[in-house]
């Protein structure tokens, strides 16, 4: 008797359902993806009992004929791919043809559809119970498709009992619909729960232009997640990859380089906007909501020193890349993706986020057509990633080219007429050049007691003006720590210790960065460190970087290294732990790191000791110079530890607190 036999089709569909259909949210995801692939302009999702009793998804897409409706219920029947080669460049949301037969095998399933171009009002309705077709009949239907899924897992009680409460399952459904609505703002979404409309989102006019897409995304983001201060991200870079060109027998006959580009656009939270979890980080690859740890890490890396420890950025980012450069078929539910060049994509995302924040801090150009001051900006606090090139074609820079230096930024609106003398706040670190005299209109001082003018209202689409780009007037100091300032927008509080930390941090990094090689102090007794084979191989490739950091490490055996020098500001009690920490930081930051990137935490601790403290009295001129020095920083709104340096309360907030407005 044969021990190996073919499974019945119904059993095979239920096994597939175990991978594709985890919970009611999985059903909603698959059906909404089909609706989006069918070019739907309106999608309605209705659920009852958290999706256990009912999931109904209705769209106005292209619809199906009777034959197509029957064929779509067969396993691996799809209109989205035809050849095996198509799997290497998937451009649709769905592609496997497993969703509908899998869902139908574990529910009471009804499919009603009618082709969009069909003049007759007659459509097709198919009723299936547990994978068995019960009835196929003609039915009146609007153009498009409606799929009704009742009593999910009714024939699999073991699966049904593992479902969570109705509220939990409904929350999963709403989370996915939020992602779908963000990805497709031009599609109208209606979500009904237990007969009640939760939201009804109209379609937002969009287009291929960047401004139109960002405006549509901002409007949809506001409708779903509320009013959040956001910064626009827009970046692109050439991206070339190796591609296989198959012959008639689908064997790799040649390798050619496929030139393309990678683009990142979307919205991220402004400095000060963060969450304790990654819950509000929404990442899309070619409009597909995905989970990718590399991109999540790149987003966090882009906020470098602009977030407190334990806080995470808020954002909605869209990565557009050649479909052949990303594999969306590695997860049964298509939640995760894998890039063929993961490190390059991660560096590109981090750099795009970093430059968007720098542009926000610098503010918009003062005149149309004038080059933005942050274009091609390189700052030691924000190391620059290399241009993405094909493997083996990277240009190795000479040591003298490795450090990046920030050119002085154009003068921002002055708080007071400044004198060229140096402030006593420099504390012995490298001083920045004195600011040039401000223009007359920017240096006017509002006299104490004068009624401030109402700020000029900005259109919703106008870029926000950074706080340090508007004139500020010194009012006083409270608690011997918080400096009170006034702007034409309201009240501003400055933490003198945090502000001075940021100033000294960037000055010290700039001083180290100007030198092609950081200073190193020889140890009295060199120490040997033995590492694992993997760490030893990785460290061997990074010895040049560490030497530029002032860390004296050399090979002393197959897995042994000799540590004989350290930067002057580094004190080490455990040499092996220090080297292991360096290896971990190098791995986390990527192979292309700034020459002082690994020592920044030590620099931050150093400047914290030197910065002015609470209860340190500062004269008016010193406070003025503090603000002027802060204006010249690349990231002035947070200290090196991510704490805010400035807090603003506009007149609208003040009036609300005093009950003048509701």
């Amino acid at each position: 008797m044969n021990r190996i036999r073919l499974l019945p089709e119904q059993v095979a569909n239920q096994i597939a359902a175990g991978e594709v259909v985890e919970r009611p949210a999985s059903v909603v995801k698959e059906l909404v993806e089909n609706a989006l692939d069918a070019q739907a302009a309106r999608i309605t999702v209705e659920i009852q009992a958290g999706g256990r009793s009912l999931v109904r998804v209705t769209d106005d897409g292209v619809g199906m004929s009777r034959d197509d409706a029957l064929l779509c219920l067969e396993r691996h029947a799809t209109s989205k791919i035809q050849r095996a080669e198509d799997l290497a460049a998937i451009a649709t949301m769905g592609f496997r043809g497993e969703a509908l037969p899998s869902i139908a095998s574990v529910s009471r399933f009804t499919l009603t559809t009618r082709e969009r171009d069909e003049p007759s009002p007659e459509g097709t309705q198919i009723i299936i119970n547990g994978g068995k077709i019960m009835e196929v009949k003609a039915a009146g239907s609007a153009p498009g498709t409606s799929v009704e899924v009742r009593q999910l897992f009714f024939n699999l009680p073991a699966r049904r009992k593992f479902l969570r409460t109705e509220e939990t399952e409904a929350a999963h459904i709403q989370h996915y619909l939020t992602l779908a609505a963000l990805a497709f703002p031009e599609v109208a979404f209606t979500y009904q729960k237990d007969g009640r409309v939760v939201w009804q989102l109209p379609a937002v006019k969009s287009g291929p232009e960047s401004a139109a897409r960002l405006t549509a995304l901002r409007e949809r983001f506001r409708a779903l997640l509320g009013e959040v201060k956001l910064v626009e991200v827009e970046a692109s870079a050439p991206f070339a990859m190796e591609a296989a060109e198959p012959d008639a027998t689908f064997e790799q006959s040649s390798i050619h380089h496929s030139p393309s580009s990678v683009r990142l656009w979307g919205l991220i939270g402004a400095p000060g906007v963060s969450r304790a979890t990654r819950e509000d980080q929404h990442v899309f690859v070619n409009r597909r909501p995905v989970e990718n740890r590399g991109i999540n890490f790149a987003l966090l890396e882009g906020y470098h020193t602009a977030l407190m420890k334990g806080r995470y950025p808020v954002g909605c980012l869209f990565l557009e890349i050649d479909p052949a450069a990303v594999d969306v078929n590695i997860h049964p539910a298509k939640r995760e993706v894998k890039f063929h060049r993961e490190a390059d994509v991660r560096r590109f995302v981090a750099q795009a986020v970093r430059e968007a924040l720098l542009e926000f801090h610098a503010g918009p150009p003062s005149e149309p057509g004038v080059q933005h001051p942050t274009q091609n900006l390189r700052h030691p606090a924000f190391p620059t990633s290399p241009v993405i090139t094909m493997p083996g074609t990277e240009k190795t820079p000479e040591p003298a080219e490795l450090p990046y230096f920030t050119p002085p930024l154009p003068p921002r609106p002055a708080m007071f007429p400044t004198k060229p003398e140096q402030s006593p706040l420099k504390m012995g670190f490298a001083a920045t050049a004195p600011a040039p005299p401000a223009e007359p209109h920017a240096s006017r001082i509002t006299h104490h007691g004068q009624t401030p003018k109402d700020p000029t209202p900005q259109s919703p689409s106008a870029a926000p003006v950074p706080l340090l780009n508007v004139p500020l007037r010194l009012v006083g100091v409270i608690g011997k720590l918080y400096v009170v300032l006034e702007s034409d927008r309201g009240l501003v509080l400055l933490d003198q210790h945090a502000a001075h930390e940021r100033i000294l941090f960037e000055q010290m990094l700039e001083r180290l960065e100007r030198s092609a090689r950081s200073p190193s102090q020889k140890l009295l007794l060199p120490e040997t460190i033995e590492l694992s084979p993997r760490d030893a191989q990785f460290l061997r490739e990074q010895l040049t970087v560490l030497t530029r950091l002032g860390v004296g490490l050399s090979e002393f055996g197959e897995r042994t290294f000799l540590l004989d020098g350290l930067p002057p500001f580094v004190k080490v009690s455990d040499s092996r732990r220090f080297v292991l920490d360096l290896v971990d930081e190098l791995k986390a930051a990527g192979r292309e790191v700034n020459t002082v990137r690994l020592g920044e935490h030590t620099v931050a601790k150093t400047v914290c000791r030197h910065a002015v403290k609470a209860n340190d009295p500062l004269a008016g001129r010193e406070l003025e110079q503090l603000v002027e020095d802060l204006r010249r920083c690349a990231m002035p709104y947070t200290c090196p530890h991510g704490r805010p340096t400035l807090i603003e309360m506009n007149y609208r907030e003040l009036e609300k607190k005093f009950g003048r407005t509701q």
Side-chain angles (χ1 to χ4, degrees):
M1 180 178 178
N2 295 334
R3 296 184 179 180
I4 298 176
R5 63 182 70 87
L6 289 174
L7 290 174
E9 183 178 357
Q10 184 177 359
V11 177
N13 284 335
Q14 291 184 356
I15 292 174
E19 297 180 346
V20 177
V21 185
E22 299 176 7
R23 58 193 339 145
S26 305
V27 175
V28 174
K29 176 180 182 295
E30 298 293 344
L31 297 181
V32 169
E33 285 182 353
N34 283 341
L36 292 171
D37 286 336
Q39 306 168 20
R42 293 189 305 273
I43 298 176
T44 300
V45 178
E46 305 169 60
I47 68 167
Q48 291 180 8
R52 295 175 181 226
S53 299
L54 171 68
V55 170
R56 182 187 293 120
V57 177
T58 305
D59 67 70
D60 62 348
V62 296
M64 292 180 286
S65 65
R66 182 185 181 95
D67 291 340
D68 283 346
L70 287 168
L71 190 59
C72 78
L73 296 169
E74 299 292 334
R75 289 195 68 198
H76 305 304
T78 178
S79 63
K80 299 162 189 177
I81 62 173
Q82 297 180 4
R83 304 177 303 167
E85 298 93 308
D86 295 340
L87 289 173
I90 295 170
T92 54
M93 303 295 289
F95 53 90
R96 295 194 188 119
E98 288 183 304
L100 292 182
S102 297
I103 295 170
S105 68
V106 293
S107 66
R108 304 189 189 278
F109 182 94
T110 302
L111 169 69
T112 307
T113 184
R114 173 188 153 200
E115 287 186 288
R116 180 186 291 172
D117 300 331
E118 178 62 43
S120 170
E122 182 180 289
T124 301
Q125 187 175 77
I126 303 175
I127 301 174
I128 303 176
N129 282 344
K132 183 179 180 180
I133 296 180
M134 307 300 294
E135 188 176 4
V136 179
K137 63 181 180 180
S141 172
T145 302
S146 175
V147 178
E148 184 178 286
V149 179
R150 292 185 179 273
Q151 296 179 324
L152 185 64
F153 298 134
F154 79 97
N155 53 349
L156 294 176
R159 293 288 304 277
R160 188 175 179 85
K161 75 176 183 180
F162 278 101
L163 294 178
R164 302 300 180 183
T165 62
E166 294 181 7
E167 293 76 13
T168 300
E169 298 298 341
H172 283 284
I173 292 173
Q174 185 164 337
H175 173 68
Y176 168 74
L177 289 177
T178 300
L179 297 177
L182 287 172
F184 294 86
E186 69 275 12
V187 177
F189 280 87
T190 301
Y191 174 41
Q192 297 181 15
K193 175 185 174 184
D194 296 325
R196 180 178 61 88
V197 176
V198 178
W199 70 48
Q200 194 165 6
L201 303 172
V204 183
K205 187 177 180 181
S206 185
E209 300 82 8
S210 299
R213 294 206 291 183
L214 285 168
T215 300
L217 175 62
R218 189 182 291 273
E219 185 174 338
R220 181 58 63 87
F221 192 98
R222 185 187 299 115
L224 287 170
L225 303 175
E227 193 69 39
V228 180
K229 193 174 183 180
L230 299 169
V231 175
E232 294 182 357
V233 178
E234 180 76 27
S236 61
F239 188 90
M241 61 169 291
E242 291 185 352
E245 183 179 352
D247 59 10
T249 59
F250 194 53
E251 294 179 355
Q252 293 187 0
S253 58
S254 62
I255 298 294
H256 68 278
H257 294 298
S258 174
S260 61
S261 63
V262 58
R263 182 167 178 257
L264 184 75
W265 64 278
L267 302 170
I268 57 174
V273 178
S274 63
R275 292 289 303 271
T277 65
R278 290 192 173 95
E279 184 177 345
D280 281 348
Q281 288 182 16
H282 308 307
V283 178
F284 304 84
V285 176
N286 296 338
R287 285 203 174 189
R288 181 189 301 276
V290 300
E291 297 175 5
N292 183 272
R293 295 181 61 186
I295 293 182
N296 289 335
F297 178 83
L299 179 58
L300 188 63
E301 180 71 11
Y303 275 82
H304 178 58
T305 75
L307 280 176
M308 288 188 290
K309 187 176 182 180
R311 306 293 295 182
Y312 295 93
V314 172
C316 184
L317 292 176
F318 292 81
L319 184 70
E320 295 178 358
I321 191 171
D322 185 352
V326 56
D327 187 357
V328 300
N329 198 25
I330 64 170
H331 192 279
K334 297 174 292 199
R335 283 198 301 262
E336 299 177 8
V337 297
K338 182 178 181 180
F339 299 99
H340 294 301
R341 298 176 60 187
E342 190 92 23
D344 288 339
V345 172
R346 190 179 74 176
R347 284 195 294 268
F348 167 72
V349 172
Q351 180 67 10
V353 171
R354 186 178 302 125
E355 291 186 352
L357 292 174
L358 285 171
E359 289 183 10
F360 169 78
H361 290 306
S366 56
E367 298 180 5
V370 177
Q371 186 181 21
H372 199 283
T374 59
Q375 289 179 354
N376 300 322
L377 185 65
R378 302 294 179 259
H379 195 276
F382 293 87
T384 303
S385 302
V387 176
I388 299 176
T389 55
M390 290 180 291
T393 63
E394 296 88 344
K395 176 186 176 183
T396 304
E398 299 296 331
E401 297 178 272
L402 284 168
Y404 296 100
F405 169 65
T406 306
L409 297 180
R412 296 186 172 116
M415 183 175 69
F416 301 95
T418 58
K419 298 180 181 180
E421 66 263 25
Q422 184 174 329
S423 167
L425 290 171
K426 299 302 179 184
M427 302 297 290
F429 290 108
T432 55
E439 297 180 5
H441 73 275
S443 60
R444 293 173 184 169
I445 302 176
T446 304
H447 298 290
H448 186 65
Q450 182 178 348
T451 303
K453 296 181 180 180
D454 293 333
T456 304
Q458 295 182 351
S459 63
S461 60
V465 179
L467 179 56
L468 287 173
N469 279 30
V470 300
L472 298 173
R473 186 179 72 85
L474 177 64
V475 177
V477 181
I478 57 175
K480 297 182 180 180
L481 173 62
Y482 303 108
V483 183
V484 183
L485 304 163
E486 180 188 18
S487 73
D488 61 352
R489 307 192 307 207
L491 174 70
V492 179
L493 292 176
L494 180 144
D495 184 329
Q496 67 181 29
H497 174 71
H500 199 207
E501 270 191 308
R502 166 56 66 178
I503 294 166
L504 296 182
F505 178 74
E506 294 198 8
Q507 288 176 354
M508 191 170 189
L509 289 183
E510 183 177 314
R511 188 181 69 175
L512 293 176
E513 191 68 13
R514 287 184 178 183
S515 172
R517 181 169 177 173
S518 300
S520 179
Q521 183 175 352
K522 291 295 182 180
L523 299 181
L524 184 62
L525 296 175
E527 298 191 39
T528 57
I529 297 101
E530 186 173 355
L531 303 175
S532 67
R534 179 178 298 179
D535 287 342
Q537 177 60 29
F538 181 83
L539 187 60
R540 193 174 292 112
E541 298 171 357
Q542 306 300 320
L543 289 180
T544 304
V545 174
L546 295 174
T547 300
R548 293 199 306 270
L549 283 168
V551 179
L553 266 174
S554 58
E555 293 187 65
F556 200 64
E558 185 177 353
R559 295 191 294 117
T560 306
F561 294 84
L562 184 68
L563 178 66
D564 61 358
L566 291 171
F569 51 83
V570 174
K571 295 181 180 179
V572 176
S573 57
D574 186 342
S575 300
R576 187 175 185 278
R577 173 53 53 190
F578 172 75
V579 174
L580 288 175
D581 289 343
L582 283 181
V583 170
D584 292 340
E585 290 190 48
L586 270 171
K587 288 180 178 179
R591 294 177 181 271
E592 301 293 338
V593 293
N594 184 272
T595 54
V596 294
R597 178 70 169 83
L598 298 180
E600 285 180 1
H601 65 285
T602 306
V603 175
K605 292 178 182 178
T606 302
V607 299
C608 185
R609 293 194 297 267
H610 286 277
V612 293
K613 305 295 191 299
N615 301 319
D616 287 350
L618 297 179
R621 181 70 188 100
E622 294 174 326
L623 293 173
E624 297 169 20
Q625 188 63 43
L626 182 70
V627 176
E628 292 305 317
D629 287 344
L630 191 62
R631 290 184 194 272
R632 285 189 285 269
C633 290
M635 294 288 285
Y637 299 102
T638 59
C639 77
H641 310 290
R643 293 185 291 105
T645 58
L646 293 156
I647 295 177
E648 181 182 23
M649 186 175 294
N650 58 38
Y651 288 117
R652 184 180 302 174
E653 293 175 281
L654 290 173
E655 290 172 351
K656 188 174 181 180
K657 287 185 178 294
F658 281 101
R660 292 180 177 270
T661 59
Q662 298 297 325

